[in-house]
Amino acid sequence: MTSIAEELAQLFSKAEAVAHHAYAPYSRFYVGAAVLLESGETVAGCNVENASFRLTTCAEQTAIAAAVAAYGPGIRIRAVAVHNLNHTASQPCGACRQTIAEFASPDAVILYPGANGATERCTLADLLPATFKLESQ
């Protein structure tokens, strides 16, 4: 049986591997992300830039969209790992945090590159303590 530490290490490795597929000709900031679903499935994605910068898609959003496409809108995320090939500290951006929140509980684990090459670990609630929720009327 795989421990949670082993699962998270494998998830981070998948994020690193998919970062090599990133399309980042403008920023040269190559990012990969992998999401671990509650079902045990892992789905990865990378950033895809566009000459019209506003149309760029982050790695986390690409991985989540791929998970929804593969497994349906009922997915639940247990953990997210983010890695960049530039070896710089980088937490998920605000838009990615909100996208993660759409499919994860506040206690979902988030791994990302921290200062001095360390891998940081926190919960979604640590990164985004007040999520936007659209309440239907």
Side-chain angles (χ1 to χ4, degrees):
M1 178 173 257
T2 307
S3 72
I4 187 67
E6 291 170 324
E7 278 185 320
L8 294 177
Q10 291 171 359
L11 193 67
F12 199 74
S13 291
K14 288 179 182 179
E16 180 179 9
V18 76
H20 290 277
H21 294 269
Y23 178 73
Y26 309 106
S27 71
R28 306 260 190 265
F29 193 68
Y30 304 95
V31 182
V35 295
L36 173 62
L37 305 178
E38 286 185 357
S39 65
E41 302 292 340
T42 300
V43 181
C46 58
N47 60 317
V48 179
E49 292 183 348
N50 190 287
S52 176
F53 290 136
R54 192 170 165 182
L55 300 177
T56 293
T57 306
C58 295
E60 298 92 324
Q61 293 176 359
T62 302
I64 292 168
V68 171
Y71 300 105
I75 64 159
R76 299 304 302 157
I77 295 172
R78 236 174 64 197
V80 177
V82 181
H83 182 80
N84 69 72
L85 300 181
N86 300 71
H87 306 292
T88 60
S90 62
Q91 298 175 350
C93 73
C96 287
R97 294 175 194 203
Q98 184 63 41
T99 302
I100 295 166
E102 189 75 18
F103 297 98
S105 66
D107 63 342
V109 175
I110 313 295
L111 302 172
Y112 59 90
N116 302 318
T119 301
E120 299 290 331
R121 177 181 172 167
C122 66
T123 65
L124 175 59
D126 294 330
L127 283 181
L128 188 63
T131 62
F132 173 79
K133 296 197 187 301
L134 182 61
E135 301 295 330
S136 58
Q137 307 226 354

